[in-house]
Amino acid sequence: MAIDTMRILNEIDKHTTRARSGDSAKVRDSVAAIRALCDLLLEDDQPTIDKQVPRAVPLASPQPQTVTAVNKLKEEDANGDSLFEF
């Protein structure tokens, strides 16, 4: 849906008039509106490019790792197989 260029320019004129006759808060609001309207005009003039939305890449399910051989470390002063037994 394209918006008529003249309608946008008329809105820019309205906000320009408000910015010239208003206080600093109104000036700031009017300038922000003018910026948005200018962006709208510039966006309309550019050829439309298909913007591809980045898609999430499905993660591969982790493959279970199997341990083929267990080599236990034997120490003289160890109390058992647990890691917490000192």
Side-chain angles (χ1 to χ4, degrees), residues 19-58:
R20 286 186 180 145
S21 64
D23 58 43
S24 63
K26 287 184 182 179
V27 170
R28 190 164 179 79
D29 290 342
S30 294
V31 171
I34 292 169
R35 177 190 288 171
L37 291 166
C38 289
D39 288 342
L40 184 62
L41 275 176
L42 292 173
E43 183 181 288
D44 238 8
D45 289 345
Q46 294 178 357
T48 56
I49 300 172
D50 290 336
K51 294 181 182 177
Q52 294 181 353
V53 178
R55 295 182 183 159
V57 177

Side-chain angles (χ1 to χ4, degrees), residues 49-84:
I49 300 172
D50 290 336
K51 294 181 182 177
Q52 294 181 353
V53 178
R55 295 182 183 159
V57 177
L59 298 175
S61 61
Q63 306 235 343
Q65 296 180 351
T66 56
V67 177
T68 55
V70 177
N71 295 330
K72 291 185 180 180
L73 180 62
K74 305 260 185 192
E75 292 189 22
E76 296 174 13
D77 53 343
N79 291 334
D81 290 337
S82 174
L83 292 174
F84 299 108

